[in-house]
Amino acid sequence: MKYPVYEVKIEKLEKKYVNDCLNTSWIGQGAYVKNLEIEFSKYVGCKYGISTTSGTTALHLACRTLGIRNGDEVLISSSTNMASAFAVIYCGAIPIPVDINSDTWQMDVSKIESKISKKTKAIMPVHLFGQSVDMDPIIFLAKKYNLKIIEDCAEAIGVLYKKRKIGSIGHISAFSFFANKTITCGEGGMVVTNDKRLALKAYELKNLCYGKKNRFLHSDIGFNYRLPNISAAIALGQLRRIDSIIEKKKRIYQRYFNNLKNIKNIKIPIIGSHTTRFIMWVFNISLINERNDSNFLIKKLKSYSIESRPAFAPINKQPWYKKKYFNFFKKNNCHNANEVMLKGLYLPSGSTLNNSQIDFICEKVINILK
Ligand SMILES: *Cc1c(COP(=O)(O)O)cnc(C)c1O
């Protein structure tokens, strides 16, 4: 028996839509792309959706659309997938890491204001692991200092902050449909916004900025970030049955949580009270024992064919960050994110896991840590 860290199930509906693309030969841009944009943006509470080829390109498109450019600074959760920071760097701007809260592992919003400088252009909260960042203080600071908010929602499809849907709170937001995200088409992404001007700009930029009168006199330097119809068909099938996917993830979280909540060498991140709908992305734990870092457990689990992954290495730990942005690195060492990198890991979390598999994994974790 193998326990992959993530596994995806493609059902009849996705297959039907893909076959429709193949049978009609609409494999480039077609109706599934439009329908995915309409239904997904509605699902996350936004008026406009602009599909892209990945979460990374969605983040880049979002930053470019807002006009992030050379020399600007963008404040980001230190602990994240580096795509968040890369998107900023692609625009010539500088990512400034903000430490995370050691209980929830989300951006510590009390540490943002002291990092705002004359060059700060935007804040990028990353809603990690299916929780939401505490957005009200960010909205307050954005107003006070005239900053933009880019939400990285790659791990938080369907999540609620108080009564609001994640992705609809900032000026512009990015989602991912990578293979291990809540809904997937292998590779894909989406920019969403409620601002019509931003939506039009994003749409132009992602589609090579073709000219309006003469198509080949381009209005700006654009990108080709177009999601193919076949991929959109898979994502649309997934979206239309997202409730059943979320139900499975809920069961998996509960099972892990109940099995591991009283184990004394393990800490499970706490879900912040402002996250009114939590949707587990992956199941995280961190090791309390001083002696052991997460690699020790990862290696031992591997001997039982259980795959796991270490927690994110934060922005301030990246060798290229130290080298390229040394002055920023010196000022921005993030203690809690560093600690999570050392002690944190996640266990197999795909929606195909059944309860006895979870029990087996937990039993091994408990025995190894005894
Ligand atoms: C997955 C992820 C991304 C990148 O998405 P891709 O589709 O893999 O490019 C960006 N940010 C976060 C927080 C992610 O989890």
Side-chain angles (χ1 to χ4, degrees), residues 25 54 70 81 127 177 183 243 246 258 313 317 331 345 367 369:
S25 299
S54 69
N70 232 355
N81 182 306
H127 306 289
F177 304 137
I183 63 167
D243 289 340
I246 290 172
N258 289 336
K317 282 282 184 191
K331 275 188 288 184
L345 70 150
N367 281 335
L369 293 178

Side-chain angles (χ1 to χ4, degrees), residues 344-362:
L345 70 150
Y346 67 85
L347 298 171
S349 300
S351 58
T352 56
L353 273 180
N354 65 36
N355 286 342
S356 60
Q357 289 174 312
I358 297 170
D359 293 348
F360 176 83
I361 294 165
C362 292

Side-chain angles (χ1 to χ4, degrees), residues 127-238:
H127 306 289
L128 289 160
F129 308 115
Q131 291 204 48
S132 78
V133 174
D134 189 6
M135 292 301 288
D136 283 339
I138 293 181
I139 296 167
F140 174 82
L141 290 173
K143 284 201 178 119
K144 183 170 168 188
Y145 294 96
N146 192 25
L147 306 174
K148 300 293 184 202
I149 301 171
I150 309 156
E151 293 177 71
D152 181 343
C153 312
E155 302 175 8
I157 299 171
V159 172
L160 290 183
Y161 169 71
K162 297 183 179 173
K163 287 185 172 138
R164 305 178 70 179
K165 288 181 174 160
I166 285 306
S168 70
I169 302 166
H171 297 90
I172 196 164
S173 303
F175 287 87
S176 164
F177 304 137
F178 178 62
N180 67 9
K181 301 296 156 75
T182 304
I183 63 167
T184 179
C185 54
E187 300 282 1
M190 184 86 70
V191 168
V192 297
T193 179
N194 277 309
D195 183 326
K196 187 172 181 182
R197 197 182 50 83
L198 292 179
L200 291 172
K201 174 107 185 154
Y203 184 77
E204 267 182 40
L205 280 168
K206 90 144 200 200
N207 193 28
L208 293 173
C209 292
Y210 281 118
K212 290 213 173 67
K213 279 202 188 118
N214 181 338
R215 182 174 169 79
F216 297 116
L217 284 174
H218 298 249
S219 59
D220 198 348
I221 299 163
F223 314 100
N224 174 359
Y225 286 169
R226 296 185 303 258
L227 183 73
N229 208 35
I230 292 182
S231 302
I234 300 172
L236 187 67
Q238 292 253 305

Side-chain angles (χ1 to χ4, degrees), residues 276-288:
T276 47
R277 189 187 196 203
F278 164 71
I279 300 170
M280 177 194 79
W281 175 49
V282 292
F283 191 85
N284 285 290
I285 55 174
S286 62
L287 306 184
I288 291 171

